Amino acid sequence: MINNQILGIDVGASGIKGAIVNVKTGELITERFRVPTPSPAKPKAVAKSVLTIVNHFKWKGLIGVGFPAVIQNGIAKTAANIDNKWIGTNVEKLLSKTTGCPVSVRNDADVAGIAELQFGAGKNKKGTIILITIGSGLGSAVFTDGVLLANSELGHLKFKGMIAEHYAADSIRKKMNLNWNEWGKRFNEYLQHLEFIFSPDLILLGGGSSKKFLKYKNLLKLD
Ligand code: BGC
């Protein structure tokens, strides 16, 4: 690793974003560079977009990728918000073959959680911490005393007779044209459900819609 730097890439349902990151300080060294996620988001097409980002930064070192699926040993095991073709694909191998760089891939919410515990709102915090990312899906990262329970997929809990993210993800707000009040109530119910199951000491929110927190903050009624 050169100067503690890696190229961090987030593969999302609508955009693939990259920036060079200092992993010792957690700081972005460069501006974020974003390319739209190809549609359909099949492995080859997404790998090409990742290569566009690598070329943009003229990057030659280690690449860390957050990917929206269960990832075990570099292999995608699910595909809720990305093309089904990914299931069984070795994401690490595909991306390192395409880019010529070593690649490490983990679930997107898991890596967001690791970053929060290392550098952000979860720094030096013990106990049970749950990070929920709100976007096209609901991603989750669960920690006990700093140890990650990988691939927790709490967005796929059964809730109200359906998959939770089909009830409370941001994509549902958009699709059903819910106002922030209506959506916020749903999200609050979901968080209360998580609270009931896990009794977390801290809940962190991330993902695109966490930027809109003020629009639904008052609707969240947790202990
Ligand atoms: C996927 C998760 C992912 C989340 C956020 C869900 O649909 O199943 O793996 O973390 O979306 O992208």
PDB file of all heavy atoms in Angstrom, residues 68-70 78 80-81 107-109 133 137-140 153 156 165, ligand 1:
ATOM      1  N   PRO A  68     -23.260  -4.195  -3.069  1.00  0.00           N
ATOM      2  CA  PRO A  68     -24.579  -4.341  -2.424  1.00  0.00           C
ATOM      3  C   PRO A  68     -25.123  -5.771  -2.394  1.00  0.00           C
ATOM      4  O   PRO A  68     -26.212  -6.049  -2.904  1.00  0.00           O
ATOM      5  CB  PRO A  68     -25.466  -3.424  -3.276  1.00  0.00           C
ATOM      6  CG  PRO A  68     -24.868  -3.513  -4.640  1.00  0.00           C
ATOM      7  CD  PRO A  68     -23.385  -3.657  -4.430  1.00  0.00           C
ATOM      8  N   ALA A  69     -24.361  -6.678  -1.811  1.00  0.00           N
ATOM      9  CA  ALA A  69     -24.780  -8.085  -1.764  1.00  0.00           C
ATOM     10  C   ALA A  69     -24.053  -8.785  -0.615  1.00  0.00           C
ATOM     11  O   ALA A  69     -23.054  -8.274  -0.108  1.00  0.00           O
ATOM     12  CB  ALA A  69     -24.415  -8.779  -3.081  1.00  0.00           C
ATOM     13  N   VAL A  70     -24.559  -9.957  -0.249  1.00  0.00           N
ATOM     14  CA  VAL A  70     -23.811 -10.808   0.678  1.00  0.00           C
ATOM     15  C   VAL A  70     -22.528 -11.215  -0.048  1.00  0.00           C
ATOM     16  O   VAL A  70     -22.574 -11.687  -1.182  1.00  0.00           O
ATOM     17  CB  VAL A  70     -24.632 -12.070   1.052  1.00  0.00           C
ATOM     18  CG1 VAL A  70     -23.769 -13.094   1.758  1.00  0.00           C
ATOM     19  CG2 VAL A  70     -25.835 -11.680   1.900  1.00  0.00           C
ATOM     20  N   THR A  78     -25.903 -13.046  -3.133  1.00  0.00           N
ATOM     21  CA  THR A  78     -27.275 -12.559  -3.309  1.00  0.00           C
ATOM     22  C   THR A  78     -27.237 -11.422  -4.328  1.00  0.00           C
ATOM     23  O   THR A  78     -26.154 -10.944  -4.690  1.00  0.00           O
ATOM     24  CB  THR A  78     -27.840 -11.991  -1.987  1.00  0.00           C
ATOM     25  OG1 THR A  78     -27.006 -10.895  -1.574  1.00  0.00           O
ATOM     26  CG2 THR A  78     -27.882 -13.028  -0.891  1.00  0.00           C
ATOM     27  N   ALA A  80     -30.059  -8.432  -4.526  1.00  0.00           N
ATOM     28  CA  ALA A  80     -31.386  -7.837  -4.361  1.00  0.00           C
ATOM     29  C   ALA A  80     -31.543  -6.559  -5.182  1.00  0.00           C
ATOM     30  O   ALA A  80     -32.577  -6.324  -5.775  1.00  0.00           O
ATOM     31  CB  ALA A  80     -31.643  -7.551  -2.887  1.00  0.00           C
ATOM     32  N   ASN A  81     -30.480  -5.761  -5.210  1.00  0.00           N
ATOM     33  CA  ASN A  81     -30.568  -4.481  -5.917  1.00  0.00           C
ATOM     34  C   ASN A  81     -29.551  -4.367  -7.028  1.00  0.00           C
ATOM     35  O   ASN A  81     -29.091  -3.275  -7.363  1.00  0.00           O
ATOM     36  CB  ASN A  81     -30.392  -3.332  -4.921  1.00  0.00           C
ATOM     37  CG  ASN A  81     -31.674  -3.080  -4.170  1.00  0.00           C
ATOM     38  OD1 ASN A  81     -32.713  -2.838  -4.785  1.00  0.00           O
ATOM     39  ND2 ASN A  81     -31.625  -3.193  -2.857  1.00  0.00           N
ATOM     40  N   ASN A 107     -19.436  -6.487   1.723  1.00  0.00           N
ATOM     41  CA  ASN A 107     -20.781  -5.905   1.663  1.00  0.00           C
ATOM     42  C   ASN A 107     -20.690  -4.390   1.925  1.00  0.00           C
ATOM     43  O   ASN A 107     -19.964  -3.940   2.817  1.00  0.00           O
ATOM     44  CB  ASN A 107     -21.654  -6.585   2.721  1.00  0.00           C
ATOM     45  CG  ASN A 107     -23.007  -5.903   2.853  1.00  0.00           C
ATOM     46  OD1 ASN A 107     -23.209  -5.061   3.724  1.00  0.00           O
ATOM     47  ND2 ASN A 107     -23.936  -6.258   1.989  1.00  0.00           N
ATOM     48  N   ASP A 108     -21.450  -3.613   1.152  1.00  0.00           N
ATOM     49  CA  ASP A 108     -21.356  -2.144   1.238  1.00  0.00           C
ATOM     50  C   ASP A 108     -21.683  -1.586   2.628  1.00  0.00           C
ATOM     51  O   ASP A 108     -20.993  -0.691   3.134  1.00  0.00           O
ATOM     52  CB  ASP A 108     -22.241  -1.477   0.157  1.00  0.00           C
ATOM     53  CG  ASP A 108     -23.696  -1.959   0.168  1.00  0.00           C
ATOM     54  OD1 ASP A 108     -24.044  -2.813   1.006  1.00  0.00           O
ATOM     55  OD2 ASP A 108     -24.473  -1.465  -0.669  1.00  0.00           O
ATOM     56  N   ALA A 109     -22.726  -2.122   3.263  1.00  0.00           N
ATOM     57  CA  ALA A 109     -23.090  -1.603   4.587  1.00  0.00           C
ATOM     58  C   ALA A 109     -22.045  -2.014   5.627  1.00  0.00           C
ATOM     59  O   ALA A 109     -21.727  -1.238   6.541  1.00  0.00           O
ATOM     60  CB  ALA A 109     -24.468  -2.118   4.987  1.00  0.00           C
ATOM     61  N   THR A 133     -28.020   1.540   6.337  1.00  0.00           N
ATOM     62  CA  THR A 133     -27.870   2.446   5.198  1.00  0.00           C
ATOM     63  C   THR A 133     -29.207   2.507   4.467  1.00  0.00           C
ATOM     64  O   THR A 133     -29.836   1.481   4.195  1.00  0.00           O
ATOM     65  CB  THR A 133     -26.762   1.991   4.228  1.00  0.00           C
ATOM     66  OG1 THR A 133     -27.112   0.712   3.672  1.00  0.00           O
ATOM     67  CG2 THR A 133     -25.419   1.901   4.913  1.00  0.00           C
ATOM     68  N   GLY A 137     -31.920   0.029  -1.308  1.00  0.00           N
ATOM     69  CA  GLY A 137     -32.234  -1.045  -0.362  1.00  0.00           C
ATOM     70  C   GLY A 137     -31.975  -0.543   1.048  1.00  0.00           C
ATOM     71  O   GLY A 137     -31.652   0.630   1.247  1.00  0.00           O
ATOM     72  N   LEU A 138     -32.150  -1.430   2.020  1.00  0.00           N
ATOM     73  CA  LEU A 138     -31.720  -1.115   3.384  1.00  0.00           C
ATOM     74  C   LEU A 138     -30.552  -2.042   3.693  1.00  0.00           C
ATOM     75  O   LEU A 138     -30.699  -3.266   3.677  1.00  0.00           O
ATOM     76  CB  LEU A 138     -32.850  -1.367   4.387  1.00  0.00           C
ATOM     77  CG  LEU A 138     -34.058  -0.415   4.359  1.00  0.00           C
ATOM     78  CD1 LEU A 138     -35.138  -0.900   5.330  1.00  0.00           C
ATOM     79  CD2 LEU A 138     -33.656   1.018   4.693  1.00  0.00           C
ATOM     80  N   GLY A 139     -29.380  -1.453   3.919  1.00  0.00           N
ATOM     81  CA  GLY A 139     -28.202  -2.258   4.246  1.00  0.00           C
ATOM     82  C   GLY A 139     -27.973  -2.220   5.747  1.00  0.00           C
ATOM     83  O   GLY A 139     -28.445  -1.308   6.432  1.00  0.00           O
ATOM     84  N   SER A 140     -27.261  -3.208   6.271  1.00  0.00           N
ATOM     85  CA  SER A 140     -27.013  -3.205   7.718  1.00  0.00           C
ATOM     86  C   SER A 140     -25.615  -3.688   8.051  1.00  0.00           C
ATOM     87  O   SER A 140     -25.031  -4.504   7.332  1.00  0.00           O
ATOM     88  CB  SER A 140     -28.026  -4.104   8.427  1.00  0.00           C
ATOM     89  OG  SER A 140     -27.843  -5.456   8.048  1.00  0.00           O
ATOM     90  N   GLU A 153     -27.633  -8.379   6.776  1.00  0.00           N
ATOM     91  CA  GLU A 153     -28.829  -8.269   5.907  1.00  0.00           C
ATOM     92  C   GLU A 153     -30.126  -7.993   6.663  1.00  0.00           C
ATOM     93  O   GLU A 153     -31.151  -8.626   6.393  1.00  0.00           O
ATOM     94  CB  GLU A 153     -28.972  -9.545   5.055  1.00  0.00           C
ATOM     95  CG  GLU A 153     -27.884  -9.744   4.024  1.00  0.00           C
ATOM     96  CD  GLU A 153     -27.930  -8.746   2.865  1.00  0.00           C
ATOM     97  OE1 GLU A 153     -29.022  -8.294   2.503  1.00  0.00           O
ATOM     98  OE2 GLU A 153     -26.851  -8.416   2.351  1.00  0.00           O
ATOM     99  N   HIS A 156     -33.456  -7.368   4.988  1.00  0.00           N
ATOM    100  CA  HIS A 156     -34.229  -8.482   4.441  1.00  0.00           C
ATOM    101  C   HIS A 156     -34.994  -9.249   5.508  1.00  0.00           C
ATOM    102  O   HIS A 156     -35.497 -10.339   5.255  1.00  0.00           O
ATOM    103  CB  HIS A 156     -33.315  -9.411   3.633  1.00  0.00           C
ATOM    104  CG  HIS A 156     -32.930  -8.793   2.322  1.00  0.00           C
ATOM    105  ND1 HIS A 156     -33.457  -9.188   1.124  1.00  0.00           N
ATOM    106  CD2 HIS A 156     -32.119  -7.752   2.047  1.00  0.00           C
ATOM    107  CE1 HIS A 156     -32.957  -8.437   0.156  1.00  0.00           C
ATOM    108  NE2 HIS A 156     -32.147  -7.557   0.691  1.00  0.00           N
ATOM    109  N   GLU A 165     -37.019  -4.079   3.424  1.00  0.00           N
ATOM    110  CA  GLU A 165     -36.621  -2.973   2.531  1.00  0.00           C
ATOM    111  C   GLU A 165     -37.707  -2.663   1.492  1.00  0.00           C
ATOM    112  O   GLU A 165     -37.711  -1.589   0.926  1.00  0.00           O
ATOM    113  CB  GLU A 165     -35.257  -3.207   1.881  1.00  0.00           C
ATOM    114  CG  GLU A 165     -35.181  -4.310   0.870  1.00  0.00           C
ATOM    115  CD  GLU A 165     -33.783  -4.417   0.239  1.00  0.00           C
ATOM    116  OE1 GLU A 165     -32.815  -3.832   0.752  1.00  0.00           O
ATOM    117  OE2 GLU A 165     -33.683  -5.121  -0.786  1.00  0.00           O
TER     118      GLU A 165
HETATM  119  C1  BGC B   1     -28.707  -5.898  -0.130  1.00  0.00           C
HETATM  120  C2  BGC B   1     -27.589  -5.667   0.854  1.00  0.00           C
HETATM  121  C3  BGC B   1     -27.054  -4.258   0.719  1.00  0.00           C
HETATM  122  C4  BGC B   1     -28.177  -3.249   0.780  1.00  0.00           C
HETATM  123  C5  BGC B   1     -27.702  -1.835   0.558  1.00  0.00           C
HETATM  124  C6  BGC B   1     -29.753  -4.833   0.042  1.00  0.00           C
HETATM  125  O1  BGC B   1     -30.779  -5.019  -0.880  1.00  0.00           O
HETATM  126  O2  BGC B   1     -29.293  -7.160   0.082  1.00  0.00           O
HETATM  127  O3  BGC B   1     -26.567  -6.601   0.660  1.00  0.00           O
HETATM  128  O4  BGC B   1     -26.134  -4.020   1.743  1.00  0.00           O
HETATM  129  O5  BGC B   1     -29.175  -3.541  -0.172  1.00  0.00           O
HETATM  130  O6  BGC B   1     -27.102  -1.683  -0.681  1.00  0.00           O
END
